[in-house]
Amino acid sequence: MTPLTAPVGITVNTSVTLVALVTLSAALVFGLALMPRPSRATITWSVGFGVAMLATYVWVAANQFDSAPLRALSSGLIVSFEPLLWLGIRYYAGKRPLWPAAVAFVAIGPALLTATSTTDAYPTVFRIVFSAAAVFAGLSAWELFRLRLSARDVVLPLALISSAFVVVAVFGIVAGITGVGSAPGDELRMLRDINGVGILLTSQCAAITIVLLARGEVLLRGGGRGGRTEGDGTVLRARLARAQRQQDASWSLLDIRLDDPADLQEASGTAVFASIVDAFHAHVLAALPAAADLERVSDVQVRALLPGTEEAVRRELRALLQQVSEIEDTGPRASVRVSASVGWAGAAASDYDLDALSAAAADAATLAQDRGGDRWERAGALAR
């Protein structure tokens, strides 16, 4: 989210508009994404919007009391949205959550700006914090462009506005060096004017994209959709905890994904694709042993925790891939063969930690799809 700094020239009406729109955006995310689709992704995004909403209230208070520290604090809170946005996207995509980087920024950025707000170092510190936030914005745009969705235009507005943040950050650095856009005694004047518009645009784009991702979009490749998870991992975590207590290294996690769902949906149509999805889940359930614990992550992804020796797991994988390949695409333009890819990770190798295990299996499943699909890959091992 484009940051906001000491906007002395902003009118009261503009302040009210900003507070109203950011609050509305937060309400949309809370009510339409978090409440009906609670997940790590939607929780993280909601925290980000809560921080942004708080920042707008602090900004109004800062203008009311003409307080430089409060203005600096509001700026730090606003830019803290970017790392939280990025972290939520990684949760949504099923990737390893690099949360220490996001938490460090949220803790250090606002504190640093507030502490230097009345010193000559503030413009320099602000540009450093601003640039660091722009790195997260760029990473968010990168992650959004890499998502494969049934409708890619859903993420395009937020991806573009995040990319624009990077451009503004570069401009801010150049302006700081050359003095372009600064007024006597006010080095950040141009950035303030840009930020007043940027915060309004970003809050709206982010809210719309997040709600659509959480409620309607199918992630076609690269991880689970945080908004459509059926099960929060409680069963899998409990099973892993028992295996760890007994030092039972025979358990493995499988990340099972339908191959080329975008092509399937285009060739078959929406109704037939829905039947293929149902058949995919039914075949996975039928192929795995009764002792396996399954979690439906999305329409095109299932996680399964099952016991067995390496040879036994290989037999299960061969049977599973064969089962899925027997699903028929009966659409009017049926020409795409149905298949699946599987990532396989041993529980003991990840110290029975579900997050680490899921990330390892997800990377292996992605590798299997990159190598053509209809195959399995084992985490940390050479391709079979």
Side-chain angles (χ1 to χ4, degrees):
M1 181 173 291
T2 308
L4 194 62
T5 67
V8 176
I10 300 297
T11 65
V12 173
N13 288 338
T14 303
S15 298
V16 172
T17 301
L18 177 63
V19 171
L21 288 178
V22 173
T23 301
L24 175 61
S25 299
L28 289 174
V29 172
F30 296 159
L32 299 180
L34 175 62
M35 299 303 292
R37 300 287 190 269
S39 67
R40 292 184 178 183
T42 55
I43 290 172
T44 303
W45 285 326
S46 297
V47 171
F49 268 94
V51 170
M53 186 170 60
L54 174 62
T56 61
Y57 298 151
V58 174
W59 173 29
V60 172
N63 289 334
Q64 182 69 29
F65 298 106
D66 194 21
S67 171
L70 285 179
R71 291 191 185 107
L73 177 60
S74 69
S75 299
L77 292 174
I78 285 291
V79 296
S80 294
F81 179 84
E82 289 297 341
L84 294 172
L85 172 65
W86 166 75
L87 183 60
I89 295 171
R90 288 190 65 86
Y91 276 129
Y92 177 85
K95 297 181 179 179
R96 187 183 299 276
L98 303 177
W99 59 266
V103 171
F105 183 95
V106 173
I108 296 173
L112 197 59
L113 287 174
T114 304
T116 60
S117 61
T118 58
T119 70
D120 293 338
Y122 179 74
T124 300
V125 172
F126 171 76
R127 286 192 172 90
I128 293 173
V129 174
F130 185 91
S131 300
V135 172
F136 286 105
L139 291 172
S140 295
W142 172 250
E143 297 287 359
L144 288 168
F145 282 126
R146 293 182 66 189
L147 290 178
R148 290 189 59 189
L149 302 169
S150 57
R152 292 187 60 86
D153 55 343
V154 167
V155 303
L156 193 58
L158 181 56
L160 292 178
I161 204 70
S162 296
S163 301
F165 189 170
V166 179
V167 175
V168 173
V170 173
F171 173 79
I173 294 174
V174 173
I177 295 174
T178 62
V180 174
S182 62
D186 187 1
E187 298 181 28
L188 303 176
R189 178 177 178 179
M190 183 171 288
L191 281 180
R192 289 176 188 140
D193 293 339
I194 295 174
N195 292 334
V197 176
I199 177 77
L200 297 175
L201 295 176
T202 305
S203 63
Q204 302 305 298
C205 292
I208 293 171
T209 295
I210 287 170
V211 168
L212 290 176
L213 287 178
R215 294 183 65 90
E217 277 302 310
V218 179
L219 181 61
L220 299 181
R221 185 172 181 272
R225 291 182 306 133
R228 291 291 299 274
T229 299
E230 294 184 19
D232 57 3
T234 301
V235 174
L236 301 187
R237 292 181 194 278
R239 176 71 73 178
L240 287 171
R242 291 196 297 272
Q244 185 176 29
R245 286 195 299 270
Q246 299 169 6
Q247 289 300 298
D248 184 356
S250 65
W251 290 86
S252 299
L253 183 72
L254 305 182
D255 188 322
I256 308 160
R257 306 182 184 190
L258 191 66
D259 287 332
D260 302 315
D263 295 335
L264 278 175
Q265 188 172 23
E266 182 179 357
S268 304
T270 302
V272 175
F273 179 70
S275 68
I276 292 175
V277 167
D278 291 339
F280 165 68
H281 288 280
H283 280 61
V284 169
L285 182 62
L288 294 178
D293 294 310
L294 276 69
E295 180 182 69
R296 176 170 173 156
V297 177
S298 76
D299 288 346
V300 297
Q301 182 188 11
V302 176
R303 279 200 295 258
L305 190 63
L306 70 160
T309 63
E310 291 188 11
E311 183 56 37
V313 174
R314 288 191 177 92
R315 287 197 301 269
E316 302 292 350
L317 287 169
R318 286 192 289 268
L320 171 63
L321 294 177
Q322 179 62 33
Q323 284 264 20
V324 174
S325 68
E326 294 174 356
I327 300 174
E328 294 184 0
D329 175 7
T330 58
R333 296 175 292 165
S335 60
V336 182
R337 177 174 176 268
V338 180
S339 64
S341 295
V342 184
W344 170 18
S350 298
D351 197 26
Y352 303 92
D353 180 79
L354 180 60
D355 292 335
L357 194 58
S358 298
D363 290 341
T366 299
L367 178 62
Q369 290 188 320
D370 288 342
R371 291 180 172 176
D374 193 21
R375 62 186 292 134
W376 57 268
E377 296 289 346
R378 188 171 184 181
L382 296 176
R384 62 181 175 89

